[in-house]
Amino acid sequence: DIQMTQSPSSLSASVGDRVTITCQASQDIDNHLHWYQQKPGKAPKLLIYDAFNLKTGVPSRFSGSGSGKDYTFTISSLQPEDLATYYCQQYDYLPLTFGGGTKVEIK
Amino acid sequence: EVQLVESGGALVKPGGSLRLSCAASGFSFSTYAMNWVRQAPGKGLEWVSSISRSGTFIYYPDSLKGRFTISRDNAKNSLYLQMNSLGADDTAVYFCARVLSGYGDYGPLDSWGQGTLVTVSS
């Protein structure tokens, strides 16, 4: 199975800060990586697919980059409504696997 | 508006069985692959199963093969998950999720239901 190592597991930042989350796969996943946001008590929402494609309707402050084994998710200017846990997920090989999540808190 | 509504979650004893349902509306259900994903209390997301548009192709992680069965009824716009020989580590919220149009059977999951809670306990 492909292991997805996500870091940090949690972070605290101020409104307006730039926030970066990384996800490292145990092998090359050829940009077959998505990012999801899960707010407390809610279902996950797709934000970024195939490493850098922003889902329609998602604010442009969210972005993704990377290649090979290493991927980055960025919030360019943190907003209060971004309080959530963020997950990466690979679909290059079955079984589909998720990162452990990054809990983003607002200072 | 796309809607996915799961049901069937319950308290079940170890070794028991349960069938979850997911009712879809607001889109052409038969043209989308579907998935189940679960989340144990306070834990991360875990993929459970995928099924192709027609139901011909089905996928599971090795850890769940033989116990869980995904199926769909396109005439009823419904997705199902039959779960057998349940154990405590199957306790989770189970989400159904739709695969983004234009992708295969297990692409990006662009719409999710609110989830249904399965608790396995004596």
Side-chain angles (χ1 to χ4, degrees), chain B residues 38-41 88-94 116-120:
Chain B
R38 70 182 181 181
Q39 186 170 37
D89 55 357
D90 295 315
T91 294
V93 174
Y94 286 73
T116 188
L117 177 62
V118 172
T119 303
V120 183

Side-chain angles (χ1 to χ4, degrees), chain A residues 36 38 43-44 49-50 55 87, chain B residues 39 59 103 108-110 112-113:
Chain A
Y36 298 88
Q38 186 177 30
Y49 60 98
D50 287 344
K55 184 189 171 189
Y87 294 93
Chain B
Q39 186 170 37
Y59 313 86
Y103 281 78
L109 303 175
D110 75 328
W112 296 61

Side-chain angles (χ1 to χ4, degrees), chain A residues 1 34 36 38 41-46 49-50 53 55 87 89 91-100, chain B residues 35 37 39 43-47 50 59-62 95 100 103 106-115:
Chain A
D1 298 2
H34 316 309
Y36 298 88
Q38 186 177 30
K42 301 293 186 182
K45 286 186 177 180
L46 177 68
Y49 60 98
D50 287 344
N53 294 298
K55 184 189 171 189
Y87 294 93
Q89 179 235 320
Y91 74 109
D92 199 48
Y93 287 100
L94 293 179
L96 309 182
T97 47
F98 290 86
Chain B
N35 282 239
V37 175
Q39 186 170 37
K43 302 297 185 183
L45 301 170
E46 180 186 14
W47 172 66
S50 302
Y59 313 86
Y60 307 98
D62 286 346
F95 297 100
L100 185 66
Y103 281 78
Y106 42 86
L109 303 175
D110 75 328
S111 294
W112 296 61
Q114 84 289 347

Side-chain angles (χ1 to χ4, degrees), chain B residues 12-109:
Chain B
V12 61
K13 287 182 168 50
S17 298
L18 205 58
R19 188 194 197 207
L20 305 183
S21 299
C22 172
S25 61
F27 66 101
S28 180
F29 180 71
S30 64
T31 64
Y32 287 83
M34 298 294 295
N35 282 239
W36 287 99
V37 175
R38 70 182 181 181
Q39 186 170 37
K43 302 297 185 183
L45 301 170
E46 180 186 14
W47 172 66
V48 171
S49 187
S50 302
I51 188 168
S52 63
R53 297 165 189 79
S54 65
T56 301
F57 299 101
I58 286 173
Y59 313 86
Y60 307 98
D62 286 346
S63 58
L64 298 179
K65 272 181 194 171
R67 289 199 304 123
F68 284 22
T69 303
I70 191 173
S71 61
R72 65 189 296 162
D73 185 337
N74 287 342
K76 294 183 176 179
N77 292 335
S78 292
L79 176 72
Y80 305 102
L81 184 68
Q82 176 68 41
M83 304 185 295
N84 298 328
S85 303
L86 286 164
D89 55 357
D90 295 315
T91 294
V93 174
Y94 286 73
F95 297 100
C96 66
R98 186 185 80 169
V99 176
L100 185 66
S101 179
Y103 281 78
D105 299 336
Y106 42 86
L109 303 175

